[in-house]
Amino acid sequence: MSSILVLVEHRQGAIRDVTFEMLTAARKLAAPAGGKVEAVLFGDGCDAMLPGLQSQADRVVYAAGPAFKDFNYESYQKALVKLVAERKPSAVLIANSAFGTDLGPSLAVALNAGLVSDAVAFTKADSGFSVSRGMYAGKLVADWSVGSEPAVIMVRQSNFKPEPASLSGEVVRWEAGDVVSGGKTKFLSLEEVPTTGIDITKATIVVGIGRGIKEAKNMPLVQEFAKEIGAVLAASRPVVDAGWLPKEVQVGSSGKTIKPKLYIALGISGAFQHIAGMKGADTIIAVNKDPKAPIFSVAHYGIVDDLHKVIPVLRTKIKELAS
Amino acid sequence: MEIAVCLKRVPDTAEADVKVDATGKDIVRDKLASTINEADNYALEEALLAKEKHSANVTLVSVGSQPSEEVLRMGMAKGATAAARIDDAGLGGSDSIALAGVLAAWFKGKSFDLIVCGAIASDDGNSQVGPALAELLGLPHAAYVTKLDIQAGKVVVKRELEGGFLDVKELALPCVVTIQTGGNTPRYASIMGIKRAGAKAIEQAASVKPDSRTQLVRVYVPQVVSAAQMFEGTTDEKATKLATLLKEKGAV
Ligand SMILES: Cc1cc2nc3c(=O)[nH]c(=O)nc-3n(C[C@H](O)[C@H](O)[C@H](O)COP(=O)(O)OP(=O)(O)OC[C@H]3O[C@@H](n4cnc5c(N)ncnc54)[C@H](O)[C@@H]3O)c2cc1C
Ligand SMILES: Nc1ncnc2c1ncn2[C@@H]1O[C@H](COP(=O)(O)O)[C@@H](O)[C@H]1O
């Protein structure tokens, strides 16, 4: 194996966690095959990020310049095509994030490379790589083989555990040159979705509701239940998409990350985007009518049943206990 | 203005017991209902809103077997102008970039101002087709869009990032956008619309030979390693145990 390039994902001056997750995974992949891990940092004035990367990689390729001031898949893609042609890596790792999804597929096309997105495990095969990923919202795993190099692998966030390392990778300052000028897209701004009322990150007890709630008319049931146990009501994405609860109470990768003492998941399947936002809760209780729902893999306590039956009975039992 | 929407018909597995078939590479589908992919429903709505605002034509395209025409008809019932089905014979086992290639071959020579895809297919979960299609057609793209504003010669989009941020950017037309769920409220088809759509013709196209750089080896049901303590018994018994636990945890 030659090298594994890991694209450093950063936003607003900070390296995102997924970068260190990818670097850890890349070291495990490269070490037995004698490959090198190269962190690729594109940015404008990101020198402060270098030491943190040097300890994690055999080399840090740093391209600086105004073309990389804000994330823009076009500049990143053109620069990566040039870099890959020069360094001939065995694999390019990119986060399976909103940035990475804008970049990975078109990069793979531009490189005429095999791509596997949302990768949760990968190993070196005799030729190329073997990559596992989820399908059907986590109900299945699919193993893919990428026979050609470089393989472009988009790595699921919060999947690999980042580990410390004590390498001292050399910094290579690299010029992308004029390939990065003249794109058809333009960055305008980064907006933060405002929190207007409820801050679910501050709550001690959170009741999370999912698509299992079925209809808007079932909302009062869980609203009252939450109130009775002193909990704040939160939700999975589909409930927010449907407009039943505001965006600011969405738990998950594109919502909030919460660490309450108690999280009660009602009718939530446990897609990884949801789990990413609540797995840090001290105690997780899940009610789901599907015994195979992935939510049970992170729950501490579980009930397999219809939530519309369980909650009314539960409310009665709670009233009995309270009096 | 000419807008195209890529629609995928997917099995509805949210509440189903998903089983692997004899090939070991696909699921058993005969007992599953199928629907339009969730994100595509939002993509279609975005196109229909643009149709009303900018008097555009909306053409739907789906790669799939004959039943995919159901989602195309549903889209026409909601107000799309025309639809095409590219038959998926010979596409078994091909990857999403190959599928993007099949779509790209159909799009070549046609001139759409805007191509709208879903952000992600609920079955394969790839999030690849839109951006890959754009690159194959030499067009700019934006993925995970929740807000789309069509202006003269360009679109301004808001892309959803992790943790409650939006990436606001501008793209020159023609371009490809992939729509994430939640940015609009998909409409229902009217009875009249459904009647009218039933009579409309659907263009039939054949697929080009797919070119996959990756191979599916196998699919399997993951072992759910659950350390959860499961409360068993009748609903009443389970609720009693849960109430006791909630009391222990200080919620009662
Ligand atoms: C880029 C991206 C970002 C995303 N970000 C997020 C995010 O931040 N947060 C998030 O939550 N999702 C997010 N998602 C969506 C995620 O992939 C899932 O689609 C979503 O989490 C599913 O929500 P759900 O569990 O409520 O619904 P489903 O997956 O439809 O599950 C519903 C569950 O309810 C159960 N159920 C049904 N009826 C009953 C009943 N009567 N009693 C008990 N149980 C019942 C079913 O068995 C099923 O397990 C994101 C997706 C993408 C592509
Ligand atoms: N067979 C198909 N026919 C038409 N469009 C498709 C097909 N497969 C995927 N797409 C489009 O590409 C999007 C993303 O799919 P994927 O990359 O598979 O997650 C979908 O939301 C659709 O808009």
Side-chain angles (χ1 to χ4, degrees):
Chain A
M1 151 164 14
S2 58
S3 58
I4 296 177
L5 301 188
V6 176
L7 180 68
V8 175
E9 182 160 319
H10 56 94
R11 195 205 286 168
Q12 293 184 308
I15 297 178
R16 299 194 64 239
D17 293 347
V18 64
T19 303
F20 298 106
E21 296 160 15
M22 289 193 289
L23 285 166
T24 303
R27 288 196 301 273
K28 291 192 175 154
L29 185 61
K36 297 274 183 237
V37 175
E38 305 191 1
V40 178
L41 174 62
F42 295 157
D44 192 30
C46 291
D47 299 49
M49 293 175 189
L50 293 171
L53 296 170
Q54 283 175 277
S55 62
Q56 293 269 331
D58 297 302
R59 225 168 197 274
V60 183
V61 180
Y62 179 29
F68 301 120
K69 188 175 172 295
D70 301 292
F71 173 82
N72 176 322
Y73 87 86
E74 286 186 288
S75 309
Y76 271 63
Q77 179 173 320
K78 288 174 189 158
L80 278 169
V81 167
K82 185 174 175 214
L83 186 66
V84 165
E86 286 174 20
R87 304 216 47 83
K88 303 196 172 44
S90 295
V92 182
L93 304 193
I94 294 174
N96 198 83
S97 60
F99 282 165
T101 299
D102 220 23
L103 169 67
S106 55
L107 173 70
V109 170
L111 291 171
N112 195 15
L115 168 71
V116 181
S117 53
D118 194 24
V120 295
F122 34 81
T123 50
K124 183 82 187 77
D126 288 341
S127 84
F129 293 85
S130 165
V131 186
S132 304
R133 66 186 312 281
M135 281 182 86
Y136 297 101
K139 289 194 170 183
L140 286 188
V141 177
D143 288 348
W144 286 84
S145 123
V146 191
S148 55
E149 294 189 357
V152 179
I153 302 175
M154 290 167 59
V155 181
R156 181 182 292 182
Q157 306 180 86
S158 311
N159 176 67
F160 292 99
K161 223 188 157 101
E163 290 171 13
S166 49
L167 300 171
S168 45
E170 57 160 340
V171 174
V172 178
R173 294 197 183 249
W174 183 78
E175 292 285 334
D178 49 5
V179 293
V180 292
S181 61
K184 292 178 186 161
T185 68
K186 193 164 99 198
F187 171 83
L188 298 178
S189 64
L190 200 65
E191 269 182 21
E192 188 167 4
V193 181
T195 299
T196 49
I198 326 127
D199 184 356
I200 58 168
T201 64
K202 302 232 160 69
T204 314
I205 306 174
V206 176
V207 171
I209 56 167
R211 190 142 40 196
I213 194 77
K214 292 281 186 323
E215 292 177 71
K217 72 170 172 42
N218 297 324
M219 290 295 292
L221 173 71
V222 282
Q223 265 151 352
E224 279 154 39
F225 167 63
K227 202 150 110 206
E228 282 158 11
I229 61 165
V232 160
L233 199 59
S236 68
R237 179 163 189 135
V239 172
V240 172
D241 286 347
W244 299 340
L245 284 174
K247 187 77 179 174
E248 67 207 51
V249 305
Q250 181 185 313
V251 174
S253 58
S254 57
K256 297 272 166 67
T257 300
I258 58 170
K259 292 187 166 115
K261 288 236 163 337
L262 185 60
Y263 184 73
I264 307 173
L266 304 176
I268 293 178
S269 63
F272 70 88
Q273 294 98 337
H274 186 80
I275 289 178
M278 46 60 80
K279 65 173 181 222
D282 292 344
T283 301
I284 299 167
I285 301 169
V287 180
N288 194 306
K289 65 177 188 188
D290 175 7
K292 288 189 185 160
I295 191 76
F296 291 121
S297 67
V298 292
H300 303 99
Y301 300 92
I303 287 182
V304 177
D305 207 332
D306 182 343
L307 75 94
H308 304 285
K309 292 194 187 124
V310 173
I311 299 303
V313 185
L314 178 62
R315 290 177 64 198
T316 316
K317 301 288 174 194
I318 287 172
K319 279 189 195 113
E320 285 170 18
L321 280 181
S323 60
Chain B
M1 152 166 240
E2 295 293 331
I3 303 177
V5 189
C6 299
L7 298 180
K8 185 175 192 184
R9 178 176 182 265
V10 293
D12 184 357
T13 54
E15 291 182 24
D17 192 9
V18 179
K19 292 201 177 73
V20 177
D21 74 4
T23 68
K25 294 188 182 191
D26 200 357
I27 59 167
V28 179
R29 292 168 186 265
D30 49 5
K31 287 197 182 65
L32 298 174
S34 286
T35 67
I36 179 170
N37 179 46
E38 188 183 15
D40 300 0
N41 215 14
Y42 288 87
L44 171 62
E45 182 61 29
E46 213 53 50
L48 294 174
L49 292 171
K51 177 181 183 241
E52 288 156 4
K53 207 167 156 199
H54 306 275
S55 64
N57 285 317
V58 174
T59 301
L60 311 174
V61 56
S62 185
V63 183
S65 54
Q66 212 275 331
S68 295
E69 295 188 4
E70 287 162 20
V71 302
L72 294 173
R73 287 216 189 276
M74 191 49 73
M76 287 198 287
K78 289 186 184 189
T81 328
R85 178 175 71 88
I86 305 171
D87 196 70
D88 67 353
L91 294 183
S94 52
D95 63 22
S96 280
I97 292 189
L99 192 107
V102 169
L103 283 167
W106 184 82
F107 275 108
K108 286 238 163 82
K110 299 184 174 68
S111 57
F112 285 98
D113 302 284
L114 179 65
I115 300 174
V116 191
C117 291
I120 187 167
S122 64
D123 51 359
D124 61 45
N126 270 340
S127 279
Q128 296 180 12
V129 169
L133 172 65
E135 186 66 20
L136 289 164
L137 295 174
L139 301 177
H141 71 262
Y144 287 175
V145 170
T146 51
K147 196 168 185 312
L148 175 73
D149 182 14
I150 303 172
Q151 301 176 4
K154 65 179 186 188
V155 294
V156 174
V157 298
K158 292 190 178 177
R159 302 201 317 113
E160 191 180 72
L161 306 181
E162 291 76 9
F165 283 87
L166 295 167
D167 181 23
V168 189
K169 57 195 299 186
E170 192 179 288
L171 285 78
L173 287 171
C175 67
V176 179
V177 294
T178 84
I179 303 291
Q180 174 59 303
T181 57
N184 57 41
T185 307
R187 69 193 66 190
Y188 291 96
S190 67
I191 305 282
M192 270 299 286
I194 293 173
K195 272 199 188 136
R196 248 180 287 135
K200 282 193 180 166
I202 291 175
E203 178 198 325
Q204 305 288 325
S207 158
V208 294
K209 210 171 149 294
D211 178 20
S212 292
R213 304 239 131 219
T214 65
Q215 275 74 44
L216 178 61
V217 180
R218 61 178 188 131
V219 299
Y220 51 98
V221 179
Q223 290 283 355
V224 177
V225 266
S226 174
Q229 184 185 330
M230 303 303 285
F231 294 145
E232 314 280 350
T234 61
T235 298
D236 199 276
E237 286 160 354
K238 288 186 273 199
T240 306
K241 288 175 196 163
L242 183 49
T244 311
L245 175 70
L246 291 179
K247 185 162 185 183
E248 268 169 41
K249 297 286 173 190
V252 176

